[in-house]
Amino acid sequence: MLEFRKDIFADERDDNLLEIGQPTQRQDMLGHVTATSRYYDDHRFANLLHLKVLRSPHAHARIRSIDDSAAARAPGVKRIIRAADVPVNLNTLLSLMQFGKDDEPSLATDVVRYKGEPILGIVATSERAALEAMALVRISYDPLPAVFDVEEALKPGAPSVNPTYPKNTFEYHGKYDHQKLRFGDVDAAFAQADVVLEDRYQMSPIEHAPTETNGSIAVPDTNGRIVVYTSTQALFFSLDTAAKINALPSNQLHFIGGTVGGGFGGKVDTMTEPLAILAARLTGAPVRYRFSRHEEMQFGSPRGAERIYIKDGIMRDGRIIARQVRAYFDSGAYTRLSSYAVIKCAGHIPGPYTIPNVSADIYCVFTNRTPATAMRGFGVTAIDFAIECQMDKDAVAIGMDPLEFRMLNAYRDGDMKAHRREAKNCALIECAQVAAEKAQWPLRDEFRRMSSRQGGAARAGVTDRSRMPAPAVPPRVPASTTQRVTYERPMPAVSPAATPPPPPPTPPQPPAPAASGHGARRFSSVFGTRRR
Amino acid sequence: MKTPIQFRLNGEDVAAFVEGGANLLDTLREIVGDLSVKGGCWQGTCGTCTVLIDGVPRLSCITLAETCSGSSIETAAGLRRGSELHPLQIAFMERFAAQCGYCTPGMLMAAKALLDKNPNPTRQDVIEAISGNICRCTGYEPIINAVLDAAREHARSRA
């Protein structure tokens, strides 16, 4: 059951919340339980045509010839769509925000780069007629060497997957082949660490498998516009992408969506709308392009697979003094959104822990696999999995309780993150305390008294980048932070004026509400107010 | 060559001409116009298209329409009586047993088949009854709890 722990940071909150903490009924629930919610495919049109797409059976091959003459004459076929019919065939999703180069064709021209890549579309009076015509298409291929492993793809002489990025790495800022994070000096720290632990973590691609497959219906309107009913998770993003590929002003497209049969990130890639719109324009009729389950699995982008190496330098007293990460994101044959996932990953390293020496190199790598995309925290989930596995192994290596090990290294207010941003509004220690209490996990007294508000600020800094931040003079330990002597962690010299006294557990008076009137003061950095 | 078929759908007589090999899912959605039945895999693996044929849960995507002639078919569209919701529908609402809602019609029909046959199911009975229905977002716990709630409510209303 949901439980609000208002005793934590009680002096920083007001509780004039209207909706948070109150159960509320979803507005679409009645539609769902009466099966009257309208998904994209619950709209009906007279003379609806059906688009099916012929896909590559090869992971990497040159197309020598395509003979679709028999298919074009097959019963029910209205139109064959080839790459040359697509107004702007080459696109990359994030080109809408000027990020990355157009690298993925809507329909393949001369080379296919993954199994399932679309080659030509067949528009027919039924799905069955389209599929029967598809069986009559003759394509001759010259198979090319393929690469399926991210590190193999980076070796000299590896097959080049994507001609836009011939070195098999995405290009950042027009020149960098990966994302880099540097803080302190990891090599010097490893030399001083009591224990150095390195391990390798490998993720698998994961299919979102929404119960409703991707699809859309494009319907020519009498005013010249095209109305598109779609399963997309990203309505306006898809509209603009479809407008670009079709070389249409976006006001010629009217997208209707919002009721989505499961997405989880697998419906942001605008995979059906551009060709459905093109087919509707070429035939003048409403056209549905609906993935079969097989297409959803083979062609629908999965969560990308990441390979992550983590090397930690740890002291016997529990401090992590260095963390080095090398990670490779498998983007598949084209970019889609993995380039962005890499940036998220870089922003997440070294996890919610204060480590004075951090180094990371993260690559977005092209392979001959299905292009990867968003899925529930992509870019972060995998690195978190790797980091937390590593944290357990670190704790075991120095014989420390894994939860206390995390609490000892957790971000505290005032700590300097590896990205040279000050940690604010930290709460990991408090979360761990509540979790330990709920799980009846024994914590020692000093960990039960630990606070995110105390002890930060001097554990990692940008000014002293040469060595570990061991204070030259024995630190003055404020009475309120005596819990931290156990692990002989160097205590920061905190002036009492800079640190407010810890709040009483139950304030005698409720704190004065913020002038803004919203109830989210602790997490209010977006509103411009800060805790300190 | 089309074949005429007749069946009862949620208590009403229905007739349709179907292509040889047409499945019940497409027949209900495209010809009869019952859009409460959803397709998820079209290959008999996900349970989304579950309907009741003579009281038995069946996968309409792999059921030949022609074999349904003379049958009585129930879909989620027939669950409520006018504006009055079926106890399962109320319980699904109250238990947050639908998120995207796409598997919900099939879940409801699988659950109805269970409750029609066994008004006092155990938790294990419910789990087995919906074991052929895949849900990808809600999670199964709220659905199981909703079905158990509906069974209790049904028993109370009859008592």
Side-chain angles (χ1 to χ4, degrees):
Chain A
M1 287 304 290
L2 195 63
E3 178 193 329
F4 281 89
R5 291 292 299 268
K6 297 190 174 183
D7 51 323
I8 301 168
F9 307 123
D11 60 324
E12 297 178 16
R13 67 190 315 133
D14 55 49
D15 285 327
N16 59 342
L17 305 172
L18 295 176
E19 297 294 338
I20 293 173
Q22 304 301 319
T24 186
Q25 185 54 270
R26 296 168 56 112
Q27 60 162 3
D28 52 3
M29 189 59 106
L30 184 61
H32 288 353
V33 302
T34 54
T36 52
S37 295
R38 276 198 156 192
Y39 301 87
Y40 88 90
D41 198 21
D42 294 332
H43 296 87
R44 285 292 166 273
F45 303 95
N47 305 314
L48 180 72
L49 299 179
H50 302 263
L51 170 64
K52 294 306 284 184
V53 167
L54 177 64
R55 301 178 180 285
S56 165
H58 297 283
H60 200 191
R62 184 167 299 283
I63 300 173
R64 220 165 22 190
S65 65
I66 300 176
D67 178 5
D68 55 19
S69 53
R73 291 191 306 269
V77 172
K78 297 291 184 186
R79 174 84 198 205
I80 307 273
I81 301 176
R82 289 197 185 204
D85 296 317
V86 185
V88 179
N89 196 34
L90 216 54
N91 178 52
T92 192
L93 289 171
L94 294 176
S95 65
L96 296 179
M97 37 191 271
Q98 287 83 47
F99 186 62
K101 297 184 248 184
D102 289 340
D103 70 337
E104 180 169 9
S106 285
L107 294 171
T109 49
D110 52 343
V111 175
V112 284
R113 302 185 175 91
Y114 68 96
K115 192 176 167 184
E117 179 158 359
I119 299 172
L120 62 82
I122 299 178
V123 189
T125 49
S126 68
E127 283 192 346
R128 179 171 168 176
L131 291 170
E132 286 180 358
M134 194 181 291
L136 303 174
V137 178
R138 293 288 169 264
I139 300 183
S140 155
Y141 300 93
D142 286 328
L144 297 169
V147 61
F148 301 104
D149 181 275
V150 281
E151 288 181 272
E152 293 296 323
L154 297 184
K155 286 183 180 164
S160 184
V161 174
N162 181 332
T164 309
Y165 301 103
K167 291 177 178 168
N168 292 342
T169 49
F170 182 80
E171 198 177 89
Y172 290 92
H173 307 292
K175 53 183 168 180
Y176 302 117
D177 66 354
H178 71 290
Q179 287 279 308
K180 197 186 278 247
L181 174 65
R182 295 290 184 272
F183 185 62
D185 183 342
V186 286
D187 291 328
F190 284 137
Q192 295 180 31
D194 291 336
V195 179
V196 174
L197 203 68
E198 182 168 14
D199 220 328
R200 173 188 187 272
Y201 301 89
Q202 175 67 49
M203 312 301 151
S204 299
I206 302 172
E207 165 57 33
H208 311 75
T211 46
E212 174 203 54
T213 56
N214 271 273
S216 57
I217 305 174
V219 186
D221 204 351
T222 47
N223 58 13
R225 299 204 297 180
I226 308 269
V227 183
V228 181
Y229 301 85
T230 164
S231 67
T232 185
Q233 283 180 263
L235 200 77
F236 293 94
F237 184 78
S238 291
L239 188 155
D240 285 338
T241 299
K244 176 185 171 187
I245 291 173
N246 279 281
L248 286 172
S250 56
N251 66 6
Q252 294 302 293
L253 299 175
H254 177 191
F255 271 48
I256 296 174
T259 303
V260 179
F264 327 116
K267 287 177 178 168
V268 297
D269 280 5
T270 322
M271 285 183 290
T272 63
E273 297 92 334
L275 287 183
I277 290 165
L278 179 60
R281 294 172 71 205
L282 291 173
T283 60
V287 176
R288 182 179 74 184
Y289 178 10
R290 179 178 78 179
F291 278 6
S292 68
R293 181 55 62 183
H294 179 261
E295 285 175 300
E296 186 74 38
M297 302 293 280
Q298 178 70 60
F299 170 65
S301 351
R303 179 198 284 282
E306 295 98 338
R307 178 169 305 156
I308 297 166
Y309 295 89
I310 301 183
K311 182 177 175 184
D312 281 354
I314 321 143
M315 303 306 284
R316 294 253 172 240
D317 64 12
R319 286 175 297 146
I320 308 171
I321 58 166
R323 172 162 290 168
Q324 187 170 37
V325 176
R326 219 161 19 107
Y328 305 92
F329 281 55
D330 191 343
S331 181
Y334 299 106
T335 307
R336 297 204 189 158
L337 302 177
S338 296
S339 51
Y340 163 64
V342 162
I343 292 177
K344 285 173 72 182
C345 178
H348 195 69
I349 290 170
Y353 305 108
T354 299
I355 301 175
N357 302 284
V358 178
S359 165
D361 296 282
I362 310 149
Y363 295 81
C364 174
V365 185
F366 297 104
T367 65
N368 292 106
R369 294 169 68 163
T370 304
T373 191
M375 185 176 189
R376 298 200 143 186
F378 72 134
V380 170
T381 21
I383 186 70
D384 253 343
F385 169 75
I387 286 173
E388 295 308 327
C389 289
Q390 183 82 6
M391 291 296 285
D392 283 341
K393 292 172 190 170
D394 289 350
V396 168
I398 57 164
M400 192 170 167
D401 176 277
L403 192 57
E404 293 182 351
F405 176 65
R406 285 174 170 83
M407 293 170 76
L408 188 69
N409 289 287
Y411 277 150
R412 301 183 196 192
D413 288 359
D415 278 344
M416 183 55 67
K417 300 185 191 181
H419 311 88
R420 297 166 178 78
R421 293 276 192 280
E422 187 188 334
K424 293 189 174 89
N425 294 350
C426 303
L428 179 57
I429 289 170
E430 286 72 17
C431 287
Q433 286 162 341
V434 175
E437 176 196 318
K438 296 283 179 198
Q440 297 176 353
W441 185 270
L443 287 183
R444 278 172 289 174
D445 269 356
E446 57 267 39
F447 287 91
R448 275 189 264 133
R449 288 199 307 269
M450 204 175 254
S451 166
S452 293
R453 290 165 152 170
Q454 290 148 19
R459 304 194 298 171
V462 282
T463 47
D464 176 20
R465 294 172 63 181
S466 54
R467 287 289 180 270
M468 271 75 58
V473 291
R476 190 162 56 86
V477 182
S480 61
T481 57
T482 47
Q483 75 270 21
R484 305 195 55 239
V485 297
T486 302
Y487 290 103
E488 300 165 358
R489 191 184 184 112
M491 291 304 304
V494 186
S495 88
T499 309
T506 48
Q509 293 287 326
S516 63
H518 65 71
R521 289 170 63 203
R522 182 164 179 80
F523 304 102
S524 61
S525 52
V526 287
F527 300 107
T529 53
R530 294 277 194 240
R531 198 162 104 197
R532 286 181 190 160
Chain B
M1 177 69 184
K2 291 189 177 180
T3 310
I5 59 167
Q6 277 190 58
F7 52 89
R8 284 179 81 76
L9 176 64
N10 299 323
E12 303 285 336
D13 284 327
V14 168
F17 285 97
V18 297
E19 300 270 0
N23 64 43
L24 180 61
L25 170 63
D26 286 346
T27 303
L28 288 172
R29 285 181 60 86
E30 312 301 336
I31 301 175
V32 178
D34 182 347
L35 297 173
S36 73
V37 193
K38 309 297 180 194
C41 68
W42 305 279
Q43 57 189 25
T45 52
C46 73
T48 303
C49 67
T50 301
V51 300
L52 305 191
I53 301 178
D54 297 325
V56 180
R58 296 283 186 210
L59 301 171
S60 62
C61 74
I62 52 166
T63 301
L64 285 173
E66 290 169 77
T67 66
C68 299
S69 228
S71 305
S72 176
I73 296 172
E74 293 168 71
T75 68
L79 268 181
R80 60 175 165 177
R81 295 276 167 266
S83 61
E84 192 185 333
L85 296 181
H86 189 279
L88 275 168
Q89 293 173 310
I90 295 169
F92 268 57
M93 284 189 78
E94 290 179 351
R95 282 286 193 170
F96 204 99
Q99 187 168 318
C100 85
Y102 201 79
C103 74
T104 309
M107 282 287 180
L108 286 167
M109 298 320 288
K112 180 175 190 292
L114 169 70
L115 298 191
D116 286 352
K117 200 174 63 182
N118 174 6
N120 299 303
T122 63
R123 194 173 185 82
Q124 194 55 39
D125 293 336
V126 175
I127 290 170
E128 277 170 29
I130 63 165
S131 63
N133 292 66
I134 289 175
C135 162
R136 288 287 290 162
C137 31
T138 317
Y140 297 101
E141 281 299 306
I143 296 173
I144 295 164
N145 291 333
V147 176
L148 290 169
D149 269 11
R152 277 191 291 272
E153 181 54 38
H154 209 47
R156 191 158 52 231
S157 67
R158 283 178 174 187

